[in-house]
Amino acid sequence: MKTNDVILQTVTKVTVFIIILFSLRLFFSGHYTPGGGFIGGLMTAGALVLLLLAFDLKTVANILPIDYKIVTAIGLLFAIGTAAGALLFNVPFLTHAFDYFTLPILGKTSLHTAVLFDTGVYLVVVGVTMTIIQTIGVSD
Amino acid sequence: MTLLHWAILSPFLFAILIPFLYKAFRKIHTGWFVLILPVVLFVYFFRFISLTKNGDTVTETVNWMPSFGIQFTAYVDGLGLLFAMLITGIGALVVLYSIYYLDKAKEQLHNFYVYLLMFMGAMLGVVLSDNLITLYMFWEFTSISSFLLIGYWYQKERSRYGALKSMLITVFGGLSMLGGIILLYLMGGTFSIRELVGMSDQLVTDPLFMGALILILLGAFTKSAQFPFHIWLPDAMEAPTPVSAYLHSATMVKAGIYLVARMSPIFATSGVWIWLVGGIGLFTVFWGSFNAVRQKDLKGILAFSTISQLGMIMSLLGIGGAALHYNQLDENIYMAATLAAVFHLINHATFKGSLFMVAGIVDHETGTRDIRKLGGLMSFMPITFTIAIIGAFSMAGLPPFNGFLSKEMFFTGMINVLSLDIFNFETFGALFPVLAWVGSIFTFVYSMILVFKTFTGKYQPEKLEKKPHEAPIGMLISPIILASLVVIFGFFPNILSDRILAPAVEAIVPSLIADGQTVKTEISFWHGFSPELFMTIGVIAFGVILYLTLSKWEKIYRVLPQRLSLNSLYDGGLRGSERGAYSFMNGHMTGFIRTYLVYIFTFFVGISLFSLWYNDAFSLEMDKMAPIGIYEVAVALLLVVSTVMILFAKSRLTSIILLGATGYTVSLFFVVFRAPDLALTQLVIETVSVALFLLCFYHLPKLSRHEERMRFKLGNALIALGVGVTVTLFAISAYSTKLFDSISEYYIKNVYEEAAGKNMVNVILVDFRGFDTLFEICVLAIASLGIFAMIKLRLTRRDEG
């Protein structure tokens, strides 16, 4: 009997974007409400895993030709770069700075270097989770 | 650095040159180059005699580690000079002898002379150092170079055995001595021997005094082969004969004697010292001479004879220590014992050195040292025979040789013990002359065996490897010089007394000399019909009888079975400790993780509960607790139920699901206790880890996939229960004793003002304490790369393994 996953795949196509949006929401609102880089990264990885389940490894690799080990490395660079950047301003390692800006669309917005650090965390978590799952999935 | 320091270090420096000389001048025997050094040093030290004769000393200090009180202080007094001249003088003769003894084509001469020079420098350092740490350093150098020299023919199994044995025993003693030195430092606050001697009155009352005494004596006794540490010396006879002559008769074994003599002013105020040094020395006299008679190997006889003679010097030093308890020098008869010790030290070095060289010649010219194969060599080797006669008769204590004089003085010293009225010597002191006399009889017997079994009797050419003939003249020079010294010192002992003996004795008993009195060192052949004379006559008479009836009473050596000997004790002890260590390691290092976990957890429970009980730290305060709500109870019940069910689950799948259930319950706890970030993370992480568990479960090998319940083991249950109880008790106690307020107030206040955030958890993670987070993501990255590496690199690993 030939099976097909048309329902799963269709639902996935819709859901993945919702999950990714939700994970981005968790990520960006982390400073004010529950969330942040860690859980945001896990959610994004969850969306990608859903893609892997609905399609196969090769298809996903075609759509998203990403080496997740590099993602991990970039994430670590972000985190350490943010931390080390503080040294340029003659303040201790990992000192954050923030201020309020008026941006074209968003209006008055607070910008915080902690977000850059959190981006590092986010990328590392995505990279790590996906590396593990892909590696174990291919190993057969 | 003065000339004296360079003189002490010159053998080490010269040793560096030896390999180059050996390679550059292959045609010339390397020994000729080496010979220059001890001769020059001997002349150099000879010039000090005029200084020490007047009671002057030389002290030169070079800072080595001044902040630790460690200096390289060279100190020359009568005692140090006597030893330095023995070392360089006999060293020169031994080097000369070795030039003819060792073949330049067959032997690795560069090794030999490097070791020998190292040894010579180390010995000079030992006898001329005033600082105890420097002395210890040179002391261990003698152990190491002696180890190398004994194992010189390292292809032979017996050589390696002997080298290891001497190393283990002397290093054991050396380390004990280091302990003694440290104790002395703790008591006196200085490493300088002379300063310690100055404090000897207050040292004797110190509680550490006895420990220092025993430890120092251990060092001296192991080095000087005193009972029961003498067993390494006979096995060290595997070394080349020049080495035996130099190290194991004239110099290294006397390092212990030197130490005892040097430390006498500090320790001889105690009766224990006198008893131990005198008693063990005297028993060694008896035991060494008694065992020498049974030996069949020429060098074996000489080895036991050395042990016995060293015991003699040692016992004389012990008795000489009694002199410190009597103030008036004029009638101080115990000084005679110290004088006898110093005199016999010189005599022993001369006659034993020549006898070893004779044994080497016999070995060299006949190919064997077994006295059962030898005999009738007198007509082949007249010169060697003459030397042997002189040496052996001196050793036996016959007139007119120097051994006779020192043996008479030995008897005098031992008879004087009878008049000692301190430290219980009235009762057991009578043993001393008796043991000394019996030991002397056996000494006479083996001396006769040594000469007459080798050189007279029946010539047995069929048992010898070579046709014997007289040794080359070069090999004979050194023993001839030593033998003539034996005769000269025998006839004119007083040429030594003022120049050498008196300063050495003064160095051993400095406190008595301080009053401006001088030591009486006149030695005369004839002192009337005294008890000593009758004892000597008795020794000769009984000795002759025993030698003639040797075959009748030789059986007594078989009374004591071989198993009970000290050697088998040593071998058995070594084997036993190896086996013990092996089975101890095998017993507890099983290689199973479960065993190690049992150790770890048991230790954890034990040490934690003990400290809880010992410090009386358990406390429980009810009023600090929050009220318990219905949700907490419900979630806790859920958690307990799922946890307990894991223990009784039959299949692994059930366990995994139940583990997931506990994880989700924990996240429910987080919800109840208002930790939304934790709850979110816990949920996702739990999902991922359950999925990974399932993956593992799917990949389990088919063979061992038994679906069975966990077996109950009482030990494991007890340990698990213990760990649980311990952790619970600690958690309760820790909660009940809060010493300070929490610092969380600061975060609550500053989370918005300082960090512009409202989610305190996240702000702490990325801002207040972002440093932790930085490395946590590193941990994650390492974990993922590790998994990647383990799985992807499996193929290559399979190829390798």
PDB file of all heavy atoms in Angstrom, chain A residues 53-74:
ATOM      1  N   LEU A  53      10.217  15.842  10.013  1.00  0.00           N
ATOM      2  CA  LEU A  53       9.283  14.731  10.184  1.00  0.00           C
ATOM      3  C   LEU A  53       8.351  14.625   8.979  1.00  0.00           C
ATOM      4  O   LEU A  53       8.104  13.543   8.456  1.00  0.00           O
ATOM      5  CB  LEU A  53       8.467  14.917  11.462  1.00  0.00           C
ATOM      6  CG  LEU A  53       9.202  14.699  12.766  1.00  0.00           C
ATOM      7  CD1 LEU A  53       8.280  15.013  13.946  1.00  0.00           C
ATOM      8  CD2 LEU A  53       9.699  13.269  12.857  1.00  0.00           C
ATOM      9  N   ALA A  54       7.884  15.768   8.506  1.00  0.00           N
ATOM     10  CA  ALA A  54       6.928  15.748   7.423  1.00  0.00           C
ATOM     11  C   ALA A  54       7.591  15.417   6.087  1.00  0.00           C
ATOM     12  O   ALA A  54       7.030  14.682   5.274  1.00  0.00           O
ATOM     13  CB  ALA A  54       6.227  17.102   7.328  1.00  0.00           C
ATOM     14  N   PHE A  55       8.749  15.969   5.872  1.00  0.00           N
ATOM     15  CA  PHE A  55       9.494  15.652   4.643  1.00  0.00           C
ATOM     16  C   PHE A  55      10.670  14.763   5.071  1.00  0.00           C
ATOM     17  O   PHE A  55      10.643  14.181   6.146  1.00  0.00           O
ATOM     18  CB  PHE A  55       9.960  16.947   3.985  1.00  0.00           C
ATOM     19  CG  PHE A  55       8.790  17.860   3.675  1.00  0.00           C
ATOM     20  CD1 PHE A  55       8.394  18.831   4.576  1.00  0.00           C
ATOM     21  CD2 PHE A  55       8.060  17.707   2.498  1.00  0.00           C
ATOM     22  CE1 PHE A  55       7.300  19.642   4.307  1.00  0.00           C
ATOM     23  CE2 PHE A  55       6.993  18.524   2.245  1.00  0.00           C
ATOM     24  CZ  PHE A  55       6.605  19.499   3.139  1.00  0.00           C
ATOM     25  N   ASP A  56      11.674  14.646   4.218  1.00  0.00           N
ATOM     26  CA  ASP A  56      12.809  13.847   4.684  1.00  0.00           C
ATOM     27  C   ASP A  56      14.056  14.732   4.775  1.00  0.00           C
ATOM     28  O   ASP A  56      14.026  15.905   4.388  1.00  0.00           O
ATOM     29  CB  ASP A  56      13.062  12.648   3.763  1.00  0.00           C
ATOM     30  CG  ASP A  56      13.305  13.099   2.349  1.00  0.00           C
ATOM     31  OD1 ASP A  56      12.543  13.999   1.889  1.00  0.00           O
ATOM     32  OD2 ASP A  56      14.225  12.616   1.711  1.00  0.00           O
ATOM     33  N   LEU A  57      15.113  14.139   5.283  1.00  0.00           N
ATOM     34  CA  LEU A  57      16.318  14.910   5.553  1.00  0.00           C
ATOM     35  C   LEU A  57      16.825  15.626   4.315  1.00  0.00           C
ATOM     36  O   LEU A  57      17.240  16.779   4.364  1.00  0.00           O
ATOM     37  CB  LEU A  57      17.413  13.968   6.075  1.00  0.00           C
ATOM     38  CG  LEU A  57      17.328  13.579   7.537  1.00  0.00           C
ATOM     39  CD1 LEU A  57      18.252  12.420   7.824  1.00  0.00           C
ATOM     40  CD2 LEU A  57      17.688  14.762   8.424  1.00  0.00           C
ATOM     41  N   LYS A  58      16.770  14.884   3.182  1.00  0.00           N
ATOM     42  CA  LYS A  58      17.355  15.434   1.969  1.00  0.00           C
ATOM     43  C   LYS A  58      16.572  16.657   1.489  1.00  0.00           C
ATOM     44  O   LYS A  58      17.155  17.683   1.131  1.00  0.00           O
ATOM     45  CB  LYS A  58      17.381  14.350   0.886  1.00  0.00           C
ATOM     46  CG  LYS A  58      18.583  14.493  -0.034  1.00  0.00           C
ATOM     47  CD  LYS A  58      18.646  13.366  -1.028  1.00  0.00           C
ATOM     48  CE  LYS A  58      19.553  12.246  -0.565  1.00  0.00           C
ATOM     49  NZ  LYS A  58      19.525  11.082  -1.457  1.00  0.00           N
ATOM     50  N   THR A  59      15.246  16.559   1.512  1.00  0.00           N
ATOM     51  CA  THR A  59      14.414  17.672   1.064  1.00  0.00           C
ATOM     52  C   THR A  59      14.672  18.900   1.909  1.00  0.00           C
ATOM     53  O   THR A  59      14.863  20.008   1.386  1.00  0.00           O
ATOM     54  CB  THR A  59      12.921  17.292   1.176  1.00  0.00           C
ATOM     55  OG1 THR A  59      12.778  15.940   0.800  1.00  0.00           O
ATOM     56  CG2 THR A  59      12.070  18.190   0.321  1.00  0.00           C
ATOM     57  N   VAL A  60      14.692  18.691   3.238  1.00  0.00           N
ATOM     58  CA  VAL A  60      14.912  19.829   4.122  1.00  0.00           C
ATOM     59  C   VAL A  60      16.284  20.432   3.866  1.00  0.00           C
ATOM     60  O   VAL A  60      16.448  21.662   3.827  1.00  0.00           O
ATOM     61  CB  VAL A  60      14.757  19.410   5.593  1.00  0.00           C
ATOM     62  CG1 VAL A  60      15.014  20.591   6.517  1.00  0.00           C
ATOM     63  CG2 VAL A  60      13.353  18.885   5.814  1.00  0.00           C
ATOM     64  N   ALA A  61      17.262  19.557   3.626  1.00  0.00           N
ATOM     65  CA  ALA A  61      18.595  20.068   3.353  1.00  0.00           C
ATOM     66  C   ALA A  61      18.621  20.868   2.060  1.00  0.00           C
ATOM     67  O   ALA A  61      19.390  21.822   1.917  1.00  0.00           O
ATOM     68  CB  ALA A  61      19.588  18.910   3.267  1.00  0.00           C
ATOM     69  N   ASN A  62      17.747  20.495   1.086  1.00  0.00           N
ATOM     70  CA  ASN A  62      17.660  21.273  -0.143  1.00  0.00           C
ATOM     71  C   ASN A  62      17.022  22.631   0.077  1.00  0.00           C
ATOM     72  O   ASN A  62      17.461  23.632  -0.482  1.00  0.00           O
ATOM     73  CB  ASN A  62      16.871  20.495  -1.191  1.00  0.00           C
ATOM     74  CG  ASN A  62      17.760  19.484  -1.891  1.00  0.00           C
ATOM     75  OD1 ASN A  62      18.970  19.670  -1.922  1.00  0.00           O
ATOM     76  ND2 ASN A  62      17.172  18.433  -2.419  1.00  0.00           N
ATOM     77  N   ILE A  63      15.955  22.631   0.881  1.00  0.00           N
ATOM     78  CA  ILE A  63      15.261  23.914   1.113  1.00  0.00           C
ATOM     79  C   ILE A  63      16.163  24.844   1.920  1.00  0.00           C
ATOM     80  O   ILE A  63      16.301  26.026   1.611  1.00  0.00           O
ATOM     81  CB  ILE A  63      13.947  23.706   1.898  1.00  0.00           C
ATOM     82  CG1 ILE A  63      13.114  22.599   1.251  1.00  0.00           C
ATOM     83  CG2 ILE A  63      13.144  25.009   1.943  1.00  0.00           C
ATOM     84  CD1 ILE A  63      11.982  22.145   2.126  1.00  0.00           C
ATOM     85  N   LEU A  64      16.731  24.298   2.986  1.00  0.00           N
ATOM     86  CA  LEU A  64      17.566  25.117   3.867  1.00  0.00           C
ATOM     87  C   LEU A  64      18.986  24.583   3.818  1.00  0.00           C
ATOM     88  O   LEU A  64      19.371  23.749   4.635  1.00  0.00           O
ATOM     89  CB  LEU A  64      17.044  25.052   5.308  1.00  0.00           C
ATOM     90  CG  LEU A  64      15.676  25.634   5.578  1.00  0.00           C
ATOM     91  CD1 LEU A  64      15.208  25.241   6.967  1.00  0.00           C
ATOM     92  CD2 LEU A  64      15.711  27.140   5.461  1.00  0.00           C
ATOM     93  N   PRO A  65      19.776  24.987   2.854  1.00  0.00           N
ATOM     94  CA  PRO A  65      21.141  24.434   2.752  1.00  0.00           C
ATOM     95  C   PRO A  65      22.074  25.055   3.793  1.00  0.00           C
ATOM     96  O   PRO A  65      22.931  25.860   3.456  1.00  0.00           O
ATOM     97  CB  PRO A  65      21.564  24.786   1.329  1.00  0.00           C
ATOM     98  CG  PRO A  65      20.769  25.999   1.000  1.00  0.00           C
ATOM     99  CD  PRO A  65      19.524  26.015   1.823  1.00  0.00           C
ATOM    100  N   ILE A  66      21.813  24.681   5.042  1.00  0.00           N
ATOM    101  CA  ILE A  66      22.573  25.300   6.146  1.00  0.00           C
ATOM    102  C   ILE A  66      23.397  24.231   6.850  1.00  0.00           C
ATOM    103  O   ILE A  66      22.901  23.142   7.139  1.00  0.00           O
ATOM    104  CB  ILE A  66      21.606  25.944   7.170  1.00  0.00           C
ATOM    105  CG1 ILE A  66      20.757  27.010   6.486  1.00  0.00           C
ATOM    106  CG2 ILE A  66      22.376  26.550   8.332  1.00  0.00           C
ATOM    107  CD1 ILE A  66      19.637  27.510   7.351  1.00  0.00           C
ATOM    108  N   ASP A  67      24.651  24.552   7.113  1.00  0.00           N
ATOM    109  CA  ASP A  67      25.456  23.688   7.988  1.00  0.00           C
ATOM    110  C   ASP A  67      25.287  24.214   9.409  1.00  0.00           C
ATOM    111  O   ASP A  67      25.745  25.309   9.733  1.00  0.00           O
ATOM    112  CB  ASP A  67      26.924  23.719   7.550  1.00  0.00           C
ATOM    113  CG  ASP A  67      27.763  22.734   8.348  1.00  0.00           C
ATOM    114  OD1 ASP A  67      27.275  22.267   9.415  1.00  0.00           O
ATOM    115  OD2 ASP A  67      28.880  22.435   7.925  1.00  0.00           O
ATOM    116  N   TYR A  68      24.604  23.419  10.247  1.00  0.00           N
ATOM    117  CA  TYR A  68      24.257  23.945  11.573  1.00  0.00           C
ATOM    118  C   TYR A  68      25.455  24.094  12.486  1.00  0.00           C
ATOM    119  O   TYR A  68      25.410  24.832  13.468  1.00  0.00           O
ATOM    120  CB  TYR A  68      23.169  23.071  12.206  1.00  0.00           C
ATOM    121  CG  TYR A  68      21.855  23.258  11.498  1.00  0.00           C
ATOM    122  CD1 TYR A  68      21.410  22.339  10.565  1.00  0.00           C
ATOM    123  CD2 TYR A  68      21.088  24.390  11.744  1.00  0.00           C
ATOM    124  CE1 TYR A  68      20.223  22.529   9.897  1.00  0.00           C
ATOM    125  CE2 TYR A  68      19.898  24.589  11.075  1.00  0.00           C
ATOM    126  CZ  TYR A  68      19.466  23.672  10.144  1.00  0.00           C
ATOM    127  OH  TYR A  68      18.305  23.869   9.484  1.00  0.00           O
ATOM    128  N   LYS A  69      26.528  23.398  12.151  1.00  0.00           N
ATOM    129  CA  LYS A  69      27.740  23.601  12.968  1.00  0.00           C
ATOM    130  C   LYS A  69      28.246  25.031  12.801  1.00  0.00           C
ATOM    131  O   LYS A  69      28.708  25.646  13.757  1.00  0.00           O
ATOM    132  CB  LYS A  69      28.816  22.607  12.542  1.00  0.00           C
ATOM    133  CG  LYS A  69      28.447  21.165  12.828  1.00  0.00           C
ATOM    134  CD  LYS A  69      29.606  20.228  12.649  1.00  0.00           C
ATOM    135  CE  LYS A  69      30.029  20.088  11.197  1.00  0.00           C
ATOM    136  NZ  LYS A  69      28.973  19.564  10.309  1.00  0.00           N
ATOM    137  N   ILE A  70      28.101  25.546  11.563  1.00  0.00           N
ATOM    138  CA  ILE A  70      28.510  26.934  11.337  1.00  0.00           C
ATOM    139  C   ILE A  70      27.592  27.878  12.089  1.00  0.00           C
ATOM    140  O   ILE A  70      28.037  28.900  12.635  1.00  0.00           O
ATOM    141  CB  ILE A  70      28.544  27.208   9.834  1.00  0.00           C
ATOM    142  CG1 ILE A  70      29.671  26.381   9.219  1.00  0.00           C
ATOM    143  CG2 ILE A  70      28.754  28.690   9.545  1.00  0.00           C
ATOM    144  CD1 ILE A  70      29.705  26.417   7.730  1.00  0.00           C
ATOM    145  N   VAL A  71      26.296  27.509  12.141  1.00  0.00           N
ATOM    146  CA  VAL A  71      25.349  28.335  12.914  1.00  0.00           C
ATOM    147  C   VAL A  71      25.803  28.409  14.372  1.00  0.00           C
ATOM    148  O   VAL A  71      25.817  29.483  14.988  1.00  0.00           O
ATOM    149  CB  VAL A  71      23.928  27.757  12.799  1.00  0.00           C
ATOM    150  CG1 VAL A  71      22.965  28.530  13.693  1.00  0.00           C
ATOM    151  CG2 VAL A  71      23.455  27.809  11.364  1.00  0.00           C
ATOM    152  N   THR A  72      26.170  27.263  14.915  1.00  0.00           N
ATOM    153  CA  THR A  72      26.680  27.252  16.299  1.00  0.00           C
ATOM    154  C   THR A  72      27.869  28.186  16.445  1.00  0.00           C
ATOM    155  O   THR A  72      27.943  29.002  17.371  1.00  0.00           O
ATOM    156  CB  THR A  72      27.127  25.829  16.683  1.00  0.00           C
ATOM    157  OG1 THR A  72      26.136  24.900  16.292  1.00  0.00           O
ATOM    158  CG2 THR A  72      27.382  25.723  18.159  1.00  0.00           C
ATOM    159  N   ALA A  73      28.785  28.083  15.490  1.00  0.00           N
ATOM    160  CA  ALA A  73      29.987  28.904  15.569  1.00  0.00           C
ATOM    161  C   ALA A  73      29.637  30.388  15.496  1.00  0.00           C
ATOM    162  O   ALA A  73      30.155  31.197  16.276  1.00  0.00           O
ATOM    163  CB  ALA A  73      30.941  28.531  14.441  1.00  0.00           C
ATOM    164  N   ILE A  74      28.728  30.737  14.570  1.00  0.00           N
ATOM    165  CA  ILE A  74      28.336  32.146  14.463  1.00  0.00           C
ATOM    166  C   ILE A  74      27.716  32.619  15.765  1.00  0.00           C
ATOM    167  O   ILE A  74      27.985  33.734  16.240  1.00  0.00           O
ATOM    168  CB  ILE A  74      27.377  32.332  13.280  1.00  0.00           C
ATOM    169  CG1 ILE A  74      28.124  32.082  11.973  1.00  0.00           C
ATOM    170  CG2 ILE A  74      26.773  33.741  13.272  1.00  0.00           C
ATOM    171  CD1 ILE A  74      27.220  32.030  10.760  1.00  0.00           C
TER     172      ILE A  74
END
